[in-house]
Amino acid sequence: MKIRPGVELAGLTDVGCVRENNEDSYSYWEPEDDASFAALGRLAIVADGMGGHEGGQIASRIAVDLVTETYTASAEPDPQKRLLSALDKAHRRIQQQARENPALSAMGTTCTAFALVDARLYFVHVGDSRLYLLREGKLWSLTRDHTLIARLIENDVIRPEEAENHPQKHVLTSALGVADDIEIDFPPEPAPIRTGDTLLICTDGLWGQMNLNEMQQVAASQSPKNACRALVQLAKERGGPDNITLQILHVL
């Protein structure tokens, strides 16, 4: 795919050091014609599947493909509403596939997607993949994890420092395809994006193996392509217990 000038983009996925299958999926899309690009901008997605056998791979692939397909084909003029509709359709499709194939009954996936339209950032998020913004050397997460541990921290049941080794650290409270209702996070208003900003989306196989300062240092000091390689390598050096997937988009 030809990428329009204005950004530097890189993406990378790795099975990690423990898993046999890569159940992560990711995608980047932008329209070919200028009129559509003005309306729809650039779309990036990551999804982290679960469900054993091939279920996780199938669920994450459905999410990425259907979010892209729905976002691009919708007649809705608002990019945020397009994203919300796309995520809901992906959720329903995964549920349908699971009902039709008992071997896939346990499948589900996280999904984090953003659209960058005319220097405005829209996003949707379910699960514990994350979207980060790097601005002027400072990295922070724009999403909150839909996990039991995050809920316990929010309710002051445990302290953040207790979360690192908590036995329920990776228990999700929301994911596509799992329960009838899903919790979708999205911004109340699109966020303005400036020249020099960097957006990073990744699965927990990446952020779970390093702290924010380490991610910040790599993302701020290297090109997107080199940063992707360095971050994946660091996650693998830490044991790489999960699949590792990320995309980095730097605004020029």
Side-chain angles (χ1 to χ4, degrees):
M1 172 188 290
K2 184 179 179 180
I3 299 173
R4 280 177 171 76
V7 302
E8 188 175 359
L9 173 76
L12 190 60
T13 188
D14 193 285
V15 70
C17 303
V18 175
R19 301 289 180 88
E20 293 184 359
N21 297 324
N22 192 339
E23 296 185 320
D24 290 355
S25 297
Y26 76 101
S27 178
Y28 174 83
W29 174 89
E30 62 180 62
E32 294 182 2
D33 65 284
D34 292 340
S36 295
F37 181 71
L40 301 178
R42 311 173 193 270
L43 176 69
I45 314 165
V46 298
D48 179 358
M50 68 201 83
H53 301 293
E54 295 181 350
Q57 291 173 295
I58 293 171
S60 67
R61 194 71 251 166
I62 290 173
V64 166
D65 289 348
L66 202 60
V67 167
T68 303
E69 175 187 317
T70 305
Y71 181 82
T72 60
S74 173
E76 168 60 54
D78 180 4
Q80 187 63 66
K81 290 181 180 178
R82 281 177 179 253
L83 286 173
L84 287 165
S85 174
L87 213 59
D88 183 69
K89 285 189 178 181
H91 173 58
R92 305 300 170 194
R93 179 69 61 82
I94 293 167
Q95 287 186 313
Q96 178 186 349
Q97 291 268 39
R99 284 194 298 268
E100 293 173 354
N101 187 344
L104 303 177
S105 61
M107 76 174 176
T109 186
T110 73
C111 188
T112 302
F114 73 78
L116 183 60
V117 184
D118 191 25
R120 296 189 303 274
L121 177 68
Y122 306 82
F123 69 83
V124 285
H125 162 73
V126 173
D128 65 352
S129 296
R130 291 181 178 178
L131 168 61
Y132 294 91
L133 172 65
L134 175 70
R135 175 173 288 167
E136 297 178 351
K138 180 72 173 177
L139 183 73
W140 67 89
S141 179
L142 299 179
T143 53
R144 64 186 184 95
D145 299 337
H146 295 149
T147 59
L148 178 59
I149 203 74
R151 184 175 291 175
L152 292 174
I153 292 171
E154 288 171 4
N155 293 328
D156 296 323
V157 176
I158 67 170
R159 298 187 304 274
E161 54 270 24
E162 295 178 84
E164 184 61 33
N165 298 310
H166 197 282
Q168 295 174 311
K169 178 180 177 181
H170 297 292
V171 176
L172 294 175
T173 56
S174 189
L176 298 186
V178 177
D180 285 341
D181 296 322
I182 52 171
E183 180 181 10
I184 302 177
D185 282 354
F186 60 96
E189 297 291 338
I193 296 299
R194 311 171 188 168
T195 298
D197 284 351
T198 297
L199 297 165
L200 186 159
I201 48 174
C202 64
T203 59
D204 68 330
L206 183 83
W207 65 257
Q209 301 308 308
M210 62 197 73
N211 62 45
L212 191 68
N213 287 337
E214 290 171 319
M215 293 179 64
Q216 176 178 287
Q217 183 177 0
V218 174
S221 64
Q222 302 190 37
S223 68
K225 184 177 181 179
N226 290 340
C228 282
R229 290 175 175 172
L231 288 168
V232 167
Q233 183 60 34
L234 180 57
K236 294 175 74 172
E237 289 172 0
R238 302 279 169 83
D242 201 354
N243 308 143
I244 309 157
T245 301
L246 76 161
Q247 292 192 79
I248 299 177
L249 185 150
H250 177 65
V251 180
L252 301 171

